[in-house]
Amino acid sequence: MKYIYVDESGDFGFSKKSTKTVIIVASITGSDKSLSTWIKRIKRRKLIGKKSKISELKASHQKDEFLQYFYEHANKDLKFNIYAVVIDKAKISEKYTHEEGIIYLKAIEKLIEISASEISASTIWYLDRRPVKKLDWRFIQQSIRYKVLSLSTNNKIKLEIHSVDSERVINIQFADFIAYSIFRSKEFHDNRWVDRIKSHIKKIVTIKI
């Protein structure tokens, strides 16, 4: 069984205030319960009072002390693999600058390609459900299903694809932290966090659209 959690860091805008890159990450584990238990334990240990009860942890909202603890212990405590796609906006054709849906879907398809070795007889995808301009989530799920099945060598694969609320599915929040670490590296050349989990990174590619 493989559990694949997908989230992103950065924005899809093209204004002067927008990020230069968007990172879309697949964080893959063989035990969803171990991961969720670990995240809850981290919250209890390092967040005080009301902060420990917040429903959604966002890496960008945390202090460096918490981030250091999170990444160091994730590296030591957990078994997971990381695949990531970097969307460099400077490499996006002008005709696609208002086509967020196309950009997002192309990145997801590339993410599936580079993580194809992780496809098992039973694979469950969880994607953070967010508004995607000009694209319906049912179409995204169907596209993912087609791409995964086309790359699988198993004719009896059990495949589930869910778009979920990151406040309700805590393991998506782990993917947020992974995406953030790579985003900091690509956007600001800040490698402090990604270096702590680099042994888990299997592949990172930049796409051109």
Side-chain angles (χ1 to χ4, degrees):
M1 175 74 81
K2 292 288 180 69
Y3 299 90
I4 303 177
Y5 299 95
V6 178
D7 202 358
E8 78 262 5
S9 188
D11 65 73
F12 285 87
F14 285 86
S15 70
K16 290 182 180 179
K17 294 182 179 180
S18 297
T19 62
K20 299 186 292 292
T21 58
V22 182
I23 310 299
I24 300 184
V25 154
S27 176
I28 304 175
T29 179
S31 176
D32 60 333
K33 290 183 179 179
S34 294
L35 181 57
S36 60
T37 299
W38 182 87
I39 297 171
K40 291 173 185 176
R41 185 168 67 244
I42 288 288
K43 288 173 67 176
R44 288 196 305 269
R45 287 180 177 176
K46 297 301 292 183
L47 297 178
I48 300 172
K50 291 182 179 179
K51 289 184 178 180
S52 65
K53 299 186 183 338
I54 58 174
S55 57
E56 183 174 17
L57 276 180
K58 297 287 290 184
S60 59
H61 297 169
Q62 305 306 319
K63 295 181 179 179
D64 286 358
E65 180 185 0
F66 181 87
L67 292 173
Q68 180 173 332
Y69 186 90
F70 186 98
Y71 293 116
E72 286 183 351
H73 281 265
N75 179 56
K76 291 188 297 183
D77 300 342
L78 299 172
K79 292 181 180 180
F80 62 98
N81 292 334
I82 300 166
Y83 297 83
V85 170
V86 180
I87 302 171
D88 183 347
K89 294 179 187 175
K91 296 182 179 180
I92 296 177
S93 172
E94 187 176 351
K95 65 183 178 181
Y96 293 122
T97 56
H98 298 293
E99 299 292 342
E100 178 186 328
I102 293 175
I103 296 170
Y104 179 79
L105 187 55
K106 287 293 184 184
I108 292 294
E109 288 176 344
K110 190 64 177 179
L111 192 61
I112 296 168
E113 287 179 12
I114 65 174
S115 63
S117 62
E118 302 280 354
I119 298 173
S120 68
S122 185
T123 304
I124 305 178
W125 285 71
Y126 293 95
L127 296 92
D128 183 23
R129 188 180 185 89
R130 48 176 294 279
V132 180
K133 294 178 181 178
K134 300 183 180 181
L135 210 60
D136 182 87
W137 266 104
R138 287 173 298 179
F139 179 77
I140 295 173
Q141 289 170 290
Q142 290 169 356
S143 299
I144 292 172
R145 176 172 294 278
Y146 173 78
K147 190 70 175 180
V148 172
L149 292 176
S150 69
L151 292 172
S152 175
T153 57
N154 189 336
N155 292 328
K156 296 182 179 179
I157 181 174
K158 179 183 177 183
L159 176 63
E160 295 180 26
I161 302 159
H162 305 282
S163 56
V164 297
D165 183 346
S166 55
E167 288 191 17
R168 295 176 179 272
V169 180
I170 194 171
N171 289 355
I172 284 282
Q173 298 170 33
F174 184 80
D176 171 81
F177 276 76
I178 302 304
Y180 180 74
S181 70
I182 299 172
F183 174 78
R184 292 292 307 183
S185 175
K186 298 298 181 181
E187 186 84 1
F188 302 110
H189 306 291
D190 175 7
N191 296 319
R192 289 176 298 165
W193 315 129
V194 74
D195 280 351
R196 285 170 167 79
I197 53 172
K198 61 184 178 181
S199 64
H200 299 271
I201 297 174
K202 300 305 178 183
K203 198 163 190 177
I204 300 176
V205 298
T206 301
I207 61 169
K208 180 178 179 181
I209 301 175

